[in-house]
Amino acid sequence: MTSGKSRHADPVRTFRKGILPFQHGKSSGAHAKPGMPLRECLVIAGLLLTLHTVFWLLGGHRWWAMTCGYIVAGITFVLLFAPMPSAKGHRLPSPGGVENLKRLLCFPVFWPGLLLLIYVWIQSWNIAWVLTFHFGGLLLQPNDHIEWLPSGMQTLLEYKNPFRYLMIFGTCFLWVCALWVGVQTRRGFMIMINGVAILFCLYALIALYQYYMGYSKILGIWEPHWQTRDRSRPFFGTLINVNHAGALLILGGSVTMSLFFHYLSVARKRMQSGGPWLVYMAMMVLVTFTAVMTLSRAVIAMGVLLTLVFAILLMLDAGMQRRWKAVGATVGILLFCTAAVTWLTWHTLDREEFKQEWQSIFAVIQDPHKDIRTEMNIASMRMLQDHQPFGVGAGGFMYYFPAYQNLFPNTIGFRAERVTDEQGRSRWQRVRLIWDYAHNDWLQYTIELGYVGVGILAAIFLAWAGIALRWIRHLRLHHLALYAGLALLLAQATVEFHLQIGAVHLAFAAVLALAVKWQSMPNFYKY
């Protein structure tokens, strides 16, 4: 009689009986897959919870919301090294803490990411200026500091400061490291990216529901920002600026498009006419339509470009498969998606507001100096020349920029604000508007972090590019869909400040990590 050990050692008998070594002598008629490691299940839950926390708590726009996301991401990161019970049944064993530590130290993005956190941390305690209030205005007072180190500014937590950016960068750093080290199975990764796509779709549904139901509070809880309260769209989703919500949804469109191409390829291999790709095509239309409903000029342009990317990738897919008859179906799918988004948008938007938006675009094309962003960029370049190589400190742009506004009168604006003097008397006062952002993320990060800090950011991108180039032979259409969404957001960052918002910054880092991780999937475990 053959022992259980020898029976499992015979590969032919194992194949015929459908018995796998981890089944401990139990035979079955099918090859059952082992369960994911417990540690990986917990890490995936923590990663998705981090995204939900930042997305739904005002998009991380408040310091306390971003701090909550940072705490959840920190707990998820700790799970990489926490002791886990031994695997039972068909579950794969969890990699040990020492093994995960080695994998983390070998992660190319870890070291420049850690260096960036240290750099911003130095700015947070090496205080060069202290912000105080004086008769309703802001007053900067110099402070003794180490001049040969990066320096920052001391302000209240609800204002821009290095601590706030330390939370944003830290949350992204912990999230990316936990994904790269903690998710090592194909099944786990697919659960992860499908969970992210569902989150974007849910966000789009909630945003549309609030819009059509005429909500006056964000999620029925938070009042909109005083600067947007009188606008036709005081908020969208959970973000007070509709442009940021649109950029966030464009990333969601690239994720759903990526899964569309992935499951289309799977259905073709299985010779199936249907499959999940139909669901993700519908989700892609929903998310893109929601992004267009923000009526942001730049977001509409990104939506058009994303549609062109979708068309190009569909054509490439048909060409690579030599399925020339599928070109007609490809054009049909594209026309259907375009017509659906156009019809829904045209029958739901405020046409007068839409007309004004496009009139302003043509006016800027005829005379670029009519757009205040042009003046902002010129003034910011002047500011950059005076603060190098360490910059003004993370979050310091809004405090230094007023000194340069007098040189560029078009950037000066005023508002009426009620202030209280030292005797406790309240009165209305004409207050100059303070620009929080340069409306150019590339330029603002250079001003705040200096050439040294931006060099560290460039090293992070080069590390990601190095990993992607290493696995370039495994590049597929669904990877290109993710990279296209990232490229569009980076291009729009030249005229907006999306990457200053916690939810958009985290979503960008998450999609980038998912794209490169997916491309390196041949390095995963079998299951």
Side-chain angles (χ1 to χ4, degrees):
M1 185 173 181
T2 307
S3 64
K5 182 176 180 180
S6 62
R7 179 158 55 92
H8 292 311
D10 184 2
V12 177
R13 187 178 181 86
T14 300
F15 175 78
R16 290 176 176 173
K17 293 293 185 180
I19 303 172
L20 297 177
F22 53 78
Q23 289 181 295
H24 305 292
K26 296 180 181 180
S27 61
S28 62
H31 289 274
K33 294 182 178 180
M36 293 189 303
L38 177 60
R39 189 191 303 277
E40 183 167 343
C41 295
L42 295 176
V43 168
I44 291 173
L47 292 173
L48 292 175
L49 182 59
T50 302
L51 289 174
H52 278 277
T53 301
V54 177
F55 274 45
W56 299 118
L57 293 183
L58 295 175
H61 198 269
R62 296 289 184 266
W63 70 269
W64 55 266
M66 204 65 223
T67 302
C68 290
Y70 179 79
I71 292 173
V72 178
I75 295 173
T76 306
F77 182 79
V78 171
L79 289 174
L80 296 175
F81 315 103
M84 292 288 164
S86 58
K88 297 180 180 180
H90 297 345
R91 187 182 295 275
L92 289 171
S94 299
V98 176
E99 182 180 349
N100 281 343
L101 179 60
K102 292 179 180 179
R103 186 179 291 121
L104 177 65
L105 297 179
C106 294
F107 181 32
V109 180
F110 172 76
W111 295 106
L114 181 62
L115 185 59
L116 178 64
L117 293 182
I118 295 174
Y119 185 86
V120 179
W121 173 71
I122 294 174
Q123 287 185 335
S124 68
W125 62 259
N126 191 28
I127 304 299
W129 297 88
V130 177
L131 182 69
T132 58
F133 294 89
H134 184 72
F135 293 106
L138 302 178
L139 181 64
L140 293 177
Q141 295 182 345
N143 186 62
D144 293 335
H145 64 286
I146 304 175
E147 296 184 357
W148 53 271
L149 285 177
S151 60
M153 183 173 300
Q154 180 179 329
T155 67
L156 297 177
L157 287 176
E158 54 264 28
Y159 287 88
K160 310 294 185 299
N161 51 63
F163 175 78
R164 178 172 179 171
Y165 283 84
L166 191 62
M167 293 295 101
I168 295 177
F169 293 147
T171 303
C172 296
F173 174 76
L174 295 173
W175 198 97
V176 166
C177 290
L179 173 74
W180 195 267
V181 176
V183 181
Q184 289 298 319
T185 65
R186 294 177 185 272
R187 198 187 321 169
F189 179 84
M190 294 312 299
I191 291 174
M192 183 69 223
I193 194 170
N194 278 273
V196 172
I198 292 172
L199 170 59
F200 277 116
C201 188
L202 180 62
Y203 189 90
L205 288 172
I206 295 298
L208 288 177
Y209 180 79
Q210 290 184 121
Y211 173 71
Y212 287 117
M213 295 301 293
Y215 272 45
S216 59
K217 294 182 179 181
I218 300 174
L219 299 180
I221 302 174
W222 296 289
E223 292 284 349
H225 196 267
W226 63 268
Q227 290 179 329
T228 62
R229 196 170 297 162
D230 297 329
R231 298 179 183 176
S232 59
R233 287 177 176 81
F235 61 90
F236 201 84
T238 57
L239 293 168
I240 62 174
N241 192 315
V242 297
N243 297 340
H244 304 323
L248 187 67
L249 291 167
I250 288 295
L251 284 176
S254 68
V255 174
T256 52
M257 184 199 304
S258 175
L259 289 169
F260 164 81
F261 282 108
H262 169 71
Y263 284 112
L264 181 63
S265 175
V266 172
R268 185 180 294 118
K269 291 177 181 178
R270 296 176 179 176
M271 293 182 289
Q272 297 174 339
S273 58
W277 63 273
L278 292 170
V279 177
Y280 280 104
M281 184 176 68
M283 292 172 65
M284 182 174 56
V285 172
L286 170 66
V287 174
T288 305
F289 164 70
T290 308
V292 172
M293 283 305 299
T294 62
L295 290 186
S296 168
R297 295 169 293 180
V299 173
I300 292 175
M302 285 203 300
V304 172
L305 291 175
L306 193 65
T307 304
L308 291 177
V309 170
F310 179 58
I312 293 172
L313 293 181
L314 275 175
M315 294 295 182
L316 287 174
D317 179 68
M320 288 187 299
Q321 299 297 325
R322 299 185 181 275
R323 298 164 61 94
W324 305 113
K325 293 183 179 179
V327 174
T330 298
V331 175
I333 292 174
L334 177 62
L335 291 177
F336 168 77
C337 295
T338 305
V341 172
T342 304
W343 186 87
L344 289 171
T345 305
W346 183 253
H347 285 79
T348 54
L349 57 77
D350 186 339
R351 299 180 186 179
E352 186 62 29
E353 183 180 356
F354 185 75
K355 181 180 178 181
Q356 294 176 0
E357 286 284 339
W358 285 100
Q359 286 177 345
S360 63
I361 292 177
F362 294 133
V364 170
I365 292 175
Q366 295 174 358
D367 185 4
H369 289 282
K370 287 185 178 180
D371 188 6
I372 197 172
R373 288 181 175 86
T374 304
E375 294 290 314
M376 289 286 294
N377 286 337
I378 297 174
S380 299
M381 289 297 296
R382 182 72 173 271
M383 183 177 173
L384 177 61
Q385 296 174 1
D386 299 336
H387 299 88
Q388 49 183 319
F390 295 122
V392 300
F397 173 85
M398 65 176 292
Y399 309 110
Y400 285 87
F401 185 72
Y404 295 84
Q405 284 185 282
N406 294 328
L407 302 175
F408 302 91
N410 290 338
T411 64
I412 298 177
F414 296 90
R415 73 171 188 271
E417 182 176 308
R418 184 177 292 276
V419 298
T420 304
D421 57 20
E422 294 180 342
Q423 286 75 31
R425 293 175 297 185
S426 178
R427 58 185 175 86
W428 287 98
Q429 179 176 320
R430 192 179 184 217
V431 180
R432 176 184 287 192
L433 289 174
I434 297 177
W435 292 95
D436 295 2
Y437 307 100
H439 289 75
N440 184 328
D441 279 330
W442 296 75
L443 189 54
Q444 181 163 343
Y445 275 127
T446 307
I447 292 172
E448 295 182 345
L449 300 178
Y451 293 135
V452 176
V454 169
I456 300 174
L457 278 175
I460 295 175
F461 279 100
L462 289 175
W464 281 119
I467 301 173
L469 290 174
R470 179 186 177 188
W471 298 97
I472 190 68
R473 63 186 181 278
H474 298 296
L475 185 65
R476 299 293 183 268
L477 294 181
H478 47 272
H479 305 139
L480 291 176
L482 293 174
Y483 290 135
L486 295 169
L488 288 175
L489 189 63
L490 286 177
Q492 195 189 3
T494 59
V495 294
E496 277 292 353
F497 52 98
H498 299 314
L499 296 178
Q500 308 286 335
I501 308 303
V504 183
H505 198 123
L506 178 59
F508 178 86
V511 174
L512 176 59
L514 288 169
V516 180
K517 183 78 171 175
W518 202 354
Q519 190 177 337
S520 65
M521 276 191 69
N523 198 32
F524 283 12
Y525 296 149
K526 179 179 179 181
Y527 298 102

